[in-house]
Amino acid sequence: LSFYALLGLLLFLTLALATSFAIVVSVFASDVRGAQAVVSYVALPMILPTFAVMFGDINTFPIGLKAVILAIPFSYVAIFASTGFLGDVTYALVGIVYLTACVLATLYLASRLFNSERIITAGFTLRKRAKRPAEEG
């Protein structure tokens, strides 16, 4: 497969994972604004390792940092975008397998949530509850 086909497949799987993950996380919000807030809180820590990969070589990172970055499925697109030009498809193949497993697991979790009654009772708010006025008497 060519570089662009592998990159496109990785990008598709990453977008599928992000969408399914956003669906699962936003189920627990009470309204659209809360869902956007919950997804944004979760998205930022997942995106930060991608910047590290874009500005550095993954092969020169310490083993601990490399393991953390490789554990985050969203970083494989950036890793392959930087290493794929040299013909190294190892990260692409590992990323395709790992992203496919993550997408399937997240979609399974989403289907289990939507098939249960938990969708009705699940929910939390990020806003502070209004204080009740003190009873006079």
Side-chain angles (χ1 to χ4, degrees):
L1 289 171
S2 71
F3 170 76
Y4 293 111
L6 287 173
L7 189 64
L9 183 59
L10 278 171
L11 189 59
F12 172 75
L13 288 171
T14 302
L15 290 174
L17 179 62
T19 304
S20 61
F21 188 70
I23 289 170
V24 169
V25 171
S26 64
V27 162
F28 297 101
S30 60
D31 58 355
V32 174
R33 186 174 296 155
Q36 289 174 341
V38 169
V39 169
S40 67
Y41 289 139
V42 173
L44 188 61
M46 292 184 172
I47 294 172
L48 287 178
T50 304
F51 290 118
V53 171
M54 287 176 14
F55 296 116
D57 184 17
I58 188 76
N59 296 320
T60 61
F61 289 167
I63 192 73
L65 180 62
K66 188 176 180 179
V68 168
I69 290 174
L70 291 177
I72 298 172
F74 298 101
S75 60
Y76 282 93
V77 173
I79 292 171
F80 181 65
S82 63
T83 61
F85 283 117
L86 302 174
D88 186 13
V89 296
T90 306
Y91 290 113
L93 298 177
V94 170
I96 289 170
V97 171
Y98 186 48
L99 281 166
T100 302
C102 290
V103 167
L104 291 176
T106 309
L107 288 176
Y108 177 74
L109 180 63
S111 70
R112 296 289 294 176
L113 278 173
F114 282 107
N115 283 335
S116 68
E117 292 180 11
R118 225 175 266 159
I119 190 80
I120 297 169
T121 60
F124 60 90
T125 58
L126 297 175
R127 289 178 257 145
K128 293 181 181 178
R129 293 185 182 197
K131 293 183 179 179
R132 294 184 186 174
E135 294 183 20
E136 296 179 21

